[in-house]
Amino acid sequence: MKILLINPNTSVEMTERMVATAQSVLAPDTELVAFTATRGFPYIASRAEAMIAGGITLEMLAEHHHGCDAAVIAAFGDPSLIAARELFELPITAMAESAMLTSCMLGERFAMLTFSRTLVAWYEDAVAVTGLNHRCAAIRVPDVSFQSVSTVQYELENEIVALAENTVREHGADVLILAGAPLTGLAQRIAHRVSVPLVDPLAAAVSQAQTLARLKPRAASAGRFARPGPKSAEGLFPPLAAWIEHRPAIGAGLTAVPAGLTSRTMPNTP
């Protein structure tokens, strides 16, 4: 099985952390192939930035989905997830939706803990799009600052643990989601310090991508997620234009990395 991981922000360090976290949930027969965008933002923190990153996500999927069994959009807030499912014919998961759906299998009500108030409005939209407002107890942020998004999970670790326990008591959360790509890997590190299950969104998204790939669902030919018919395009990233126009992309499925992308490949080792 081959799973494609798309990081639509420009942090290679974050991609490497995601790949490391994914190792704990990869099956022995699964290969994870990860790509990092080199244009855009070091991390996505608003709805406007998510719209920009969404276009980059579609470009990266168009170039690299050939030969893969499923794909993961590795950004919380799920930029272009719905559009990607409409356009491409393989299962696609993303961090926010996967975390929420996983949480709903672990408890009645979930809450999100994140690291910046700037993210809250975007994450509220993600809950609404998934149709789970009635299952979301709260979206909360520690009332402290941090120095760097690269180290935020270490800087705020104790504050997040304290906020987790407060959220369980004050908001009745049965499950907690550590929301935001910079918090990837933190759930595993602090799980023993929190009294309810913690969900790592990246681990949830990779796990669900593997499950969907094994189910081998057919691509829709009718309904809301049938691939649109061919349409001419001008000025688009060539592999994306080729896919939209229903013509073969030059170099589709090759291992060469196009300009603007950084490749990371990590086969699972038992």
Side-chain angles (χ1 to χ4, degrees):
M1 181 189 297
K2 188 174 183 179
I3 303 295
L4 172 65
L5 186 147
I6 295 295
N7 178 10
N9 70 49
T10 60
S11 171
V12 173
E13 179 184 0
M14 199 171 295
T15 303
E16 291 173 342
R17 183 182 298 167
M18 291 173 178
V19 169
T21 298
Q23 297 305 303
S24 66
V25 297
L26 287 182
D29 64 341
T30 300
E31 177 187 10
L32 183 69
V33 184
F35 289 86
T36 304
T38 58
R39 58 189 180 89
F41 307 98
Y43 75 101
I44 304 160
S46 70
R47 289 169 288 192
E49 292 172 7
M51 290 292 290
I52 295 167
I56 295 169
T57 297
L58 296 179
E59 292 176 353
M60 296 170 76
L61 284 166
E63 177 69 16
H64 298 293
H65 79 280
H66 304 280
C68 293
D69 299 292
V72 175
I73 299 174
F76 202 89
D78 306 348
S80 280
L81 173 60
I82 301 303
R85 284 180 176 159
E86 176 187 64
L87 190 57
F88 299 101
E89 297 177 315
L90 76 171
I92 300 174
T93 66
M95 290 174 65
E97 182 191 67
S98 294
M100 286 185 275
L101 295 179
T102 298
S103 295
C104 288
M105 291 185 280
L106 293 171
E108 182 65 25
R109 288 166 61 79
F110 64 84
M112 295 182 184
L113 308 182
T114 191
F115 57 91
S116 171
R117 298 194 185 282
T118 306
L119 299 164
V120 171
W122 180 29
Y123 291 178
E124 288 174 342
D125 289 352
V127 176
V129 166
T130 311
L132 291 172
N133 281 324
H134 64 294
R135 304 284 293 270
C136 183
I139 300 176
R140 306 193 70 196
V141 183
D143 193 20
V144 290
S145 60
F146 60 92
Q147 297 298 313
S148 169
V149 71
S150 297
T151 58
V152 63
Q153 66 170 263
Y154 299 98
E155 294 179 55
L156 301 187
E157 179 174 326
N158 290 331
E159 288 79 6
I160 288 172
V161 170
L163 185 62
E165 289 302 293
N166 178 269
T167 303
V168 173
R169 291 192 306 270
E170 300 297 326
H171 294 270
D174 304 305
V175 186
L176 298 173
I177 297 168
L178 301 187
L183 300 184
T184 296
L186 178 59
Q188 186 174 22
R189 198 167 69 247
I190 66 172
H192 67 287
R193 301 175 62 190
V194 178
S195 59
V196 299
L198 295 180
V199 173
D200 185 299
L202 189 279
V206 171
S207 296
Q208 292 184 18
Q210 292 177 98
T211 297
L212 292 174
R214 292 193 192 283
L215 291 173
K216 300 185 184 301
R218 64 161 293 172
S221 58
R224 293 167 59 85
F225 287 92
R227 182 183 177 188
K231 186 175 186 178
S232 61
E234 297 182 8
L236 296 183
F237 183 59
L240 181 58
W243 185 257
I244 289 172
E245 294 173 354
H246 288 228
R247 58 180 173 81
I250 297 173
L254 298 181
T255 56
V257 182
L261 299 176
T262 300
S263 174
R264 290 290 183 274
T265 302
M266 182 72 73
N268 185 37
T269 53

